[in-house]
Amino acid sequence: MPTIANPKVKPAIRPVIKPAGGTDSREELDAGYLVVCWDDPVNLMEYVTHVFQTVFGWNRAKAQKHMLQVHNEGKSVLARETLEKAEFYVHQLQKYTLHATLERDKK
Amino acid sequence: MKLLRRDGDEFEFEFAPVEKGLLFHLLGLYPAVPAAHHQLTKGRKIPSQAENQELLNEAVKSHRAENQRAVLALLNDAGRFTGGKEGARAVFQRGEVEWLLQVLNDVRVGHWIAAGSPNLQQEQKLQHDKQALRKVMLMELAGGFEMLFLGAVSGTLQPEADEP
């Protein structure tokens, strides 16, 4: 019987099933994926700061800095990770209904 | 709604009857965000993009089902809120407050989308659209509860003395 007593962030352990011959594992292991949070007019600034602290374990000052970057510049790069880790963070942020995506780093 | 007590990761709140009714009404509106709202990327090609998007869709679906079960469990737990006509008290653990924040923000964002994703600085444009206005009101109500729960977990909301 489930209860509402969920941990802050549940570990998302899930099998990664890839179609044969369709991927380049070197590309996926490359820490070249950016976790990006985009501005929107609906998420409260205090809420966004709290989510950044919860998902990334940042202190309040760092979380606020990124929240303000989202607010003032339209987006903030929150992390640069492998594809799998970037996907994990995007999913965590989307659980909180933030507008987050992962993007391939151009560099 | 007021914070009565903070003890480590445990929070006790008191809700006036109308506040409890509003909170339950908002929780009952979950989920409000369309499933297609969650996109993994803004369109730049990533490896196995379709498969990875599908994995995200499945994870979102599973998370929502879990949250929905928890919403129903809370709404049907008669013993969770104690007290009489003056106000109902309930104790939440930090993890539960996190869960409530996720659910309330889904309701907030979902009603903003349903209202046509308005620029909230220009709400006067909504005055002739009653349906959109109603959705914006629900959105703001959800935001109000969010701010109170955020204040409790961040420590900016101080516990209020229990009235004799």
Side-chain angles (χ1 to χ4, degrees):
Chain A
M1 188 70 183
T3 70
I4 64 168
N6 290 324
K8 281 183 187 175
V9 178
K10 285 191 168 183
I13 300 169
R14 51 197 171 124
V16 180
I17 302 164
K18 300 292 181 189
T23 61
D24 181 343
S25 60
R26 282 173 304 173
E27 199 177 355
E28 291 181 16
L29 291 172
D30 173 28
Y33 294 89
L34 307 177
V35 178
V36 182
C37 188
W38 304 85
D39 188 33
D40 61 46
V42 66
N43 280 298
L44 300 164
M45 294 165 87
E46 191 66 27
Y47 178 78
V48 175
T49 302
H50 172 78
V51 174
F52 289 171
Q53 286 184 273
T54 304
V55 170
F56 295 102
W58 293 342
N59 61 35
R60 188 165 176 81
K62 183 172 181 181
Q64 265 181 331
K65 182 184 139 194
H66 282 276
M67 177 276 292
L68 286 171
Q69 194 173 27
V70 171
H71 184 68
N72 295 325
E73 299 173 28
K75 68 174 183 177
S76 178
V77 174
L78 306 179
R80 190 178 194 278
E81 292 289 354
T82 60
L83 179 59
E84 194 176 344
K85 267 196 163 181
E87 280 179 330
F88 169 79
Y89 281 130
V90 168
H91 181 217
Q92 295 305 317
L93 294 165
Q94 291 191 351
K95 276 184 178 177
Y96 284 88
T97 345
L98 295 196
H99 187 184
T101 60
L102 72 85
E103 307 297 328
R104 190 83 170 94
D105 195 355
K106 288 177 187 169
K107 292 171 190 170
Chain B
M1 173 182 164
K2 61 183 180 183
L3 175 66
L4 291 180
R5 178 175 59 84
R6 179 191 299 114
D7 185 6
D9 283 343
E10 190 172 278
F11 307 89
E12 184 176 16
F13 297 97
E14 185 176 73
F15 301 83
V18 67
E19 292 167 337
K20 183 187 165 198
L22 284 170
L23 178 63
F24 274 35
H25 179 71
L26 290 168
L27 295 178
L29 296 172
Y30 178 84
V33 172
H37 181 72
H38 299 285
Q39 293 298 314
L40 189 58
T41 179
K42 270 191 175 288
R44 293 192 61 203
K45 201 73 182 157
I46 59 169
S48 310
Q49 188 159 329
E51 290 83 0
N52 283 313
Q53 180 63 49
E54 187 56 33
L55 279 174
L56 175 70
N57 294 347
E58 285 300 316
V60 168
K61 192 175 163 188
S62 163
H63 181 65
R64 283 179 158 212
E66 194 180 317
N67 275 352
Q68 262 185 309
R69 282 193 295 271
V71 165
L72 284 174
L74 177 68
L75 297 183
N76 293 316
D77 184 355
R80 186 62 193 258
F81 286 79
T82 58
K85 291 177 182 172
E86 299 301 313
R89 295 177 177 202
V91 175
F92 293 102
Q93 303 299 316
R94 186 177 289 269
E96 292 176 307
V97 176
E98 286 297 325
W99 169 81
L100 282 165
L101 283 168
Q102 287 182 10
V103 168
L104 286 167
N105 203 57
D106 179 287
V107 171
R108 178 174 166 81
V109 174
H111 282 81
W112 173 72
I113 293 169
S117 307
N119 180 340
L120 299 173
Q121 307 302 317
Q122 300 172 336
E123 277 185 46
Q124 67 274 15
K125 287 184 180 173
L126 294 170
Q127 63 187 326
H128 301 300
D129 186 342
K130 285 183 184 172
Q131 285 299 317
L133 261 181
R134 183 176 175 273
K135 289 176 170 55
V136 169
M137 283 164 58
L138 289 167
M139 181 198 89
E140 296 293 13
L141 271 175
F145 279 107
E146 283 179 51
M147 290 305 290
L148 289 165
F149 283 122
L150 282 169
V153 292
S154 70
T156 56
L157 184 66
Q158 294 306 311
E160 293 182 39
D162 208 359
E163 287 173 14

